[in-house]
Amino acid sequence: MDYRKKTVVASVAGLTLEGMDIMFISFAMTMIISEFNIDLATGGLISSITNIGMLLGGIIFGVLADKYGRVKVFTYTVLLFAMGTALTGLATNIEQVYIYRFIAGLGAGGEYGIGMALVAEAWPKNKQGRASSYVSVGAQYGVILAALLSAIILPTLGWRALFFVGVVPVIFAVIVRKNLDESPEWLAAQKNKKMNNKNEKSKLVQLFETPRTTMTTISLIIMATVQIAGYNGLMIWLPSMLQQSQGLSISSSALWTISTAVGMIIGMLTFGRFMDRFGAKRAFGIFLLASACAVFLYSYATGSVGVLLGGAIVGFFSNGMFAGYGALISSFYPVQIRSTATNTIFNFGRAIGGFSPILVGYILQSYDMTVAMVYLAVLYCISFIVMLTLRKSTGEPMQSIEKY
């Protein structure tokens, strides 16, 4: 296996394990609430605290990866979220659950951007979209893996045993550390830095170093926020919406979830190749506008076939774009701050976009499904407008979105 394939395999496995770890809480939430005798709001705070950990972990480990090496810090992030997950199984009260999920969030937040930076630095520009899409699908594999493990473990061994599975990524981290070398591009940048004896500015400061860089960083955060907000709004509330508006049973809504997830996976794999062939601006432009139309029209879907097929189409466009964010963000920043940029931007989007289900819930409570879908459609239109502002810098460090 050559170096390029190794970076993809390592990053896919890392994101799969991260996705599995995050989804464990969703499947075990009912048992946790029952055991600790807490209300739904207190239980929901677990996810919020995890998101805060992911944001901080993304920034901290992104900076460390740019300074000390991708592979080294990548393995530390895997070890950290593995430790946080396993410790969750030992929690004796809800406060300890919060602490351990925060630790898991720190590691999970750091892992994403480092893996994407590794892939971006290993693959040529005209193939980074598809490489990024292969990695992004890993999160869906994690969801499927978590669902299978939950179905097997929860009924027989309970929720604590489920989290003990979190020690498995430790083995993966050891394998990666032994078999994957540091990025040649990062090594070259470090050598160049020593030769020129540069005193670099703070990695975070460099994301806002010039007006153009600041505008690009903010624009990318908005796009990432819309991506996460749309995904959360759709996947958390749509099954309930359909149960009410279409009279779907729980088993039928589960079938909807599967069809939508399949649409998402196909969309991600398609988007990566589309991005490589036609460029980032065309790819994101088409998928963003198609997402806005699809979610709006979906509010008028009727019948089981229409609901299932429409869900797959919505998933295809709305989450297909997820495959391109790692490559897109990486293309705008030099190797010296690439992990910092990817982790900071995407985890800010994840933290802000994570509040979308609250707003969608309020809309559903006060209005109806059509208004909720209009809200999501407007989000994609906003992201489209913001995407149009991404421009080529007159100099380094940013590269052109047109080249991609």
Side-chain angles (χ1 to χ4, degrees):
M1 189 182 295
D2 62 22
Y3 183 74
R4 290 179 185 174
K5 292 180 180 177
K6 284 183 179 180
T7 61
V8 170
V9 170
S11 299
V12 168
L15 200 58
T16 297
L17 293 170
E18 176 192 326
M20 178 191 75
D21 167 271
I22 299 302
M23 286 303 297
F24 276 169
I25 278 293
S26 297
F27 290 108
M29 182 67 80
T30 301
M31 288 185 174
I32 293 174
I33 289 174
S34 176
E35 177 163 336
F36 294 128
N37 193 28
I38 57 177
D39 57 31
L40 294 176
T42 305
L45 192 56
I46 298 173
S47 295
S48 299
I49 290 174
T50 304
N51 284 336
I52 294 172
M54 293 175 99
L55 174 58
L56 293 178
I59 296 172
I60 294 168
F61 288 110
V63 171
L64 293 176
D66 283 329
K67 187 172 183 179
Y68 297 109
R70 314 292 194 221
V71 176
K72 183 185 297 184
V73 178
F74 180 83
T75 55
Y76 291 152
T77 63
V78 174
L79 289 172
L80 193 60
F81 76 69
M83 180 180 71
T85 302
L87 285 173
T88 303
L90 299 174
T92 58
N93 53 56
I94 191 61
E95 288 77 16
Q96 289 182 12
V97 172
Y98 291 155
I99 294 171
Y100 298 145
R101 295 313 298 165
F102 178 79
I103 293 172
L106 285 174
E111 181 272 332
Y112 171 80
I114 300 173
M116 285 300 186
L118 268 171
V119 171
E121 290 160 12
W123 289 73
K125 297 294 181 186
N126 65 340
K127 293 184 178 180
Q128 284 184 10
R130 71 192 68 180
S132 178
S133 71
Y134 298 151
V135 176
S136 300
V137 171
Q140 301 303 317
Y141 296 153
V143 172
I144 295 171
L145 186 58
L148 292 173
L149 289 171
S150 298
I152 296 169
I153 296 173
L154 287 177
T156 55
L157 301 176
W159 69 270
R160 294 182 184 277
L162 184 66
F163 286 96
F164 292 149
V165 177
V167 299
V168 172
V170 173
I171 301 171
F172 164 70
V174 173
I175 294 173
V176 169
R177 191 63 173 269
K178 290 180 64 176
N179 294 280
L180 187 62
D181 297 325
E182 288 293 352
S183 156
E185 190 175 346
W186 180 83
L187 291 172
Q190 292 299 107
K191 184 177 180 180
N192 183 60
K193 177 183 171 183
K194 289 180 180 178
M195 288 175 61
N196 295 325
N197 196 27
K198 287 184 178 179
N199 292 317
E200 275 192 328
K201 295 180 181 178
S202 163
K203 306 291 184 185
L204 283 174
V205 169
Q206 291 181 64
L207 301 184
F208 306 93
E209 191 170 12
T210 67
R212 172 60 67 188
T213 311
T214 300
M215 183 65 180
T216 298
T217 299
I218 293 173
S219 295
L220 290 170
I221 287 175
I222 293 172
M223 290 180 67
T225 299
V226 169
Q227 180 64 36
I228 299 300
Y231 177 82
N232 286 344
L234 288 168
M235 295 305 290
I236 291 176
W237 281 113
L238 255 186
S240 297
M241 291 186 212
L242 294 171
Q243 285 176 31
Q244 293 180 7
S245 65
Q246 300 293 324
L248 262 64
S249 64
I250 294 176
S251 59
S252 297
S253 62
L255 187 60
W256 172 87
T257 301
I258 294 171
S259 69
T260 304
V262 170
M264 288 177 175
I265 292 173
I266 296 173
M268 284 188 277
L269 295 175
T270 302
F271 186 88
R273 291 185 176 274
F274 198 87
M275 187 174 177
D276 287 336
R277 184 176 178 85
F278 299 106
K281 181 164 283 188
R282 282 196 186 96
F284 275 96
I286 291 172
F287 270 65
L288 282 167
L289 291 178
S291 295
C293 293
V295 296
F296 175 73
L297 293 174
Y298 194 49
S299 61
Y300 297 99
T302 58
S304 57
V305 175
V307 167
L308 292 176
L309 182 60
I313 294 172
V314 168
F316 179 92
F317 287 110
S318 67
N319 209 50
M321 295 176 291
F322 179 80
Y325 280 94
L328 177 67
I329 297 171
S330 295
S331 72
F332 274 91
Y333 300 90
V335 61
Q336 295 90 340
I337 59 171
R338 189 166 289 150
S339 286
T340 302
T342 307
N343 266 345
T344 300
I345 289 168
F346 202 79
N347 281 300
F348 256 109
R350 184 147 47 182
I352 301 170
F355 289 101
S356 179
I358 298 175
L359 183 55
V360 172
Y362 172 77
I363 292 173
L364 289 173
Q365 182 177 311
S366 304
Y367 302 97
D368 56 22
M369 178 177 172
T370 301
V371 177
M373 299 305 267
V374 168
Y375 154 73
L376 293 173
V378 169
L379 284 184
Y380 290 120
C381 290
I382 291 172
S383 185
F384 174 80
I385 294 170
V386 169
M387 182 272 298
L388 295 177
T389 68
L390 295 173
R391 289 286 187 273
K392 181 179 179 180
S393 176
T394 54
E396 293 295 334
M398 289 189 297
Q399 301 171 35
S400 172
I401 189 174
E402 307 291 352
K403 291 181 183 177
Y404 208 68

